[in-house]
Amino acid sequence: MFMGEYNHTIAAKGRLIVPSRFREQLGDEFVITKGLDNCLFVYDNSEWTALEEKLRSLPLTNAAGRKFARFLLGSAATCEVDRQGRILLPSVLREFAGIEKDAVLVGVGSRIEIWNRDKWAQANTFDDMEEIAEHMEGLGI
């Protein structure tokens, strides 16, 4: 399970250091794609395979399913970690998430999210956690 928050800087050529704790769990190769809330999602190969299978099982006649599959699969890229523990973030993904210099990597269970640092701060103030916690009760948490 991925957890924790790490701040890193994107190098001039679009390289990002992946924290060692995340690298240990991800392995040498993994998938990165567009995510919800204008961040990027990172999946290890087993989680990605499970997600692909779920997307494949959606009926072709379901317009929302087709659009969601295009969103996730169309932008997906396989990444490999170099000797310095970095990955090359594809420019299309950096542009989507607005990541130019400062990034935040956040472990959220089965995936990692990569955020533009300013967007992370704006979107995740957690001021409304009491209200959200009440809604989680209905989901069994």
Side-chain angles (χ1 to χ4, degrees):
M1 177 161 82
F2 297 105
M3 58 186 179
E5 179 179 326
Y6 302 87
N7 291 285
H8 287 283
T9 302
I10 303 286
K13 294 182 180 180
R15 296 203 178 275
L16 173 67
I17 292 174
V18 177
S20 60
R21 283 208 169 146
F22 289 167
R23 287 194 314 263
E24 291 169 7
Q25 293 176 269
L26 287 169
D28 293 332
E29 189 177 279
F30 48 89
V31 176
I32 184 168
T33 189
K34 290 178 181 175
L36 304 175
D37 302 315
N38 286 90
C39 71
L40 303 177
F41 286 173
V42 179
Y43 294 96
D44 67 23
N45 286 327
S46 64
E47 285 291 332
W48 180 252
T49 300
L51 179 59
E52 275 185 316
E53 288 174 11
K54 289 177 185 176
L55 291 172
R56 251 192 309 251
S57 71
L58 295 172
L60 191 57
T61 56
N62 182 306
R66 290 191 313 271
K67 190 170 187 175
F68 194 65
R70 274 187 227 113
F71 178 75
L72 289 176
L73 298 172
S75 63
T78 301
C79 290
E80 293 181 14
V81 179
D82 69 13
R83 291 181 183 166
Q84 287 79 36
R86 304 172 303 178
I87 58 168
L88 176 62
L89 283 178
S91 60
V92 68
L93 294 177
R94 287 194 318 265
E95 289 172 20
F96 169 80
I99 300 172
E100 296 175 9
K101 184 177 178 187
D102 297 319
V104 179
L105 292 88
V106 183
V108 286
S110 63
R111 71 178 182 278
I112 298 165
E113 295 179 351
I114 304 175
W115 288 78
N116 165 297
R117 188 176 296 165
D118 293 336
K119 286 183 183 179
W120 170 255
Q122 292 169 359
N124 295 288
T125 60
F126 303 114
D127 293 338
D128 55 352
M129 286 311 299
E130 293 296 326
E131 183 180 329
I132 290 173
E134 288 177 18
H135 292 296
M136 294 297 105
E137 185 177 5
L139 298 174
I141 296 177

